[in-house]
Amino acid sequence: MNLLQSIFRGGESRGRYPESLIGAAIERAVEGTDTRLRLLPGYRKRLRVPVIQAIDQVVGLVDAIPAPLVAGRREYGKDPRLSAVGTPSNPAT
């Protein structure tokens, strides 16, 4: 489940991202809000911390996604989450 973590972190600790990622995220934020922000002197510097916090938040959310649930016939009796869904129908033979 650490796909985005591996992309964003590149093996570094949390909050340590490649400058290219931070720069691209800043520009995406500006594009998605108001491109006139580029007229402000130092807009990249002012957006750096909030953008890094947003990346940290996304990485945390992705890391919190649970692993996939195997939903085979044998698992229905073993996993209460599947039992709550119902009993699998008999396969046509």
Side-chain angles (χ1 to χ4, degrees):
M1 278 286 125
N2 294 328
L3 174 63
L4 288 181
Q5 179 182 1
S6 66
I7 293 170
F8 288 139
R9 291 187 189 167
E12 299 175 29
S13 64
R14 184 175 212 167
R16 307 293 295 180
Y17 305 106
E19 287 301 317
S20 60
L21 174 68
I22 295 170
I26 289 171
E27 292 307 314
R28 176 138 185 173
V30 170
E31 282 293 323
T33 54
D34 189 348
T35 57
R36 293 178 291 176
L37 289 170
R38 289 190 181 104
L39 299 174
L40 297 172
Y43 78 94
R44 285 187 181 106
K45 185 177 180 182
R46 294 174 88 182
L47 291 175
R48 182 178 176 79
V49 171
V51 163
I52 290 172
Q53 290 172 344
I55 295 170
D56 284 342
Q57 183 69 24
V58 169
V59 169
L61 290 171
V62 170
D63 286 349
I65 295 173
L69 179 62
V70 177
R73 192 163 191 50
R74 284 182 236 146
E75 286 80 13
Y76 267 86
K78 298 176 185 175
D79 194 319
R81 294 173 292 177
L82 293 174
S83 299
V85 174
T87 310
S89 61
N90 289 334
T93 53

